[in-house]
Amino acid sequence: MAVSDPIADMLTMIRNASSAGLPVVKLKNSNFKYAIAKVLKQEGFIGDYSLTSAKNESIKTLNIYIKFDEENKPVIRKITKLSKPGRRLYVSYRNMERVRNGLGLTIVSTSQGVISDKSAREKKVGGELICSVL
């Protein structure tokens, strides 16, 4: 039986586009993917994101613009999925580990929405670990 994980596909497409030097990634939109893109933008790992739709289509496209530094290297060096369909990882805010001592980011799905690990610690909420970005 085939298992589909759209979030893992999204992260793989971002990883591949940034390593290939592509400026934009186009994905099928969902509220969860949009929330992840919003957190990546807030934390400065992507340049921007936008939603577009064709005239006759009800499905919107999420465009994620990859951010590059002064040396034309991608800002996202490594992006990994932590929680998988067969093994979900839940953690309280007290046990959230920092990625590279605060240089990286962990995206967490909480009862207050999809937020960064830093925001989760400030709000004192735990949740499911989605991915880590460095």
Side-chain angles (χ1 to χ4, degrees):
M1 182 173 153
V3 177
S4 175
D5 188 2
I7 303 305
D9 294 342
M10 172 190 176
L11 299 176
T12 301
M13 290 177 81
I14 292 172
R15 183 183 322 112
N16 291 342
S18 64
S19 66
L22 300 177
V24 66
V25 177
K26 296 184 179 191
L27 309 160
K28 226 158 79 165
N29 185 45
S30 72
N31 290 335
F32 200 63
K33 290 178 186 177
Y34 187 82
I36 291 173
K38 185 177 177 182
V39 172
L40 289 172
K41 168 71 175 153
Q42 287 172 350
E43 297 294 326
F45 284 97
I46 61 173
D48 203 6
Y49 61 94
S50 65
L51 284 176
T52 57
S53 63
K55 290 184 179 180
N56 296 334
E57 293 183 26
S58 62
I59 299 172
K60 293 184 179 180
T61 303
L62 176 64
N63 300 317
I64 298 177
Y65 300 95
I66 306 296
K67 187 175 182 180
F68 296 94
D69 62 8
E70 307 85 38
E71 299 171 0
N72 211 18
K73 292 183 181 178
V75 172
I76 296 177
R77 304 271 195 261
K78 184 178 179 182
I79 186 166
T80 352
K81 181 98 163 76
L82 297 174
S83 190
K84 296 178 171 57
R87 182 173 177 249
R88 303 286 183 189
L89 293 177
Y90 297 94
V91 67
S92 72
Y93 73 94
R94 290 183 190 100
N95 298 332
M96 276 187 213
E97 295 182 11
R98 298 180 193 273
V99 178
R100 291 274 262 190
N101 206 16
L103 293 177
L105 160 76
T106 301
I107 297 178
V108 184
S109 176
T110 67
S111 59
Q112 297 183 4
V114 178
I115 56 177
S116 67
D117 57 342
K118 181 181 174 186
S119 299
R121 278 190 221 95
E122 289 172 359
K123 294 179 181 183
K124 295 187 177 183
V125 292
E128 181 183 354
L129 300 177
I130 303 301
C131 66
S132 67
V133 184
L134 181 64

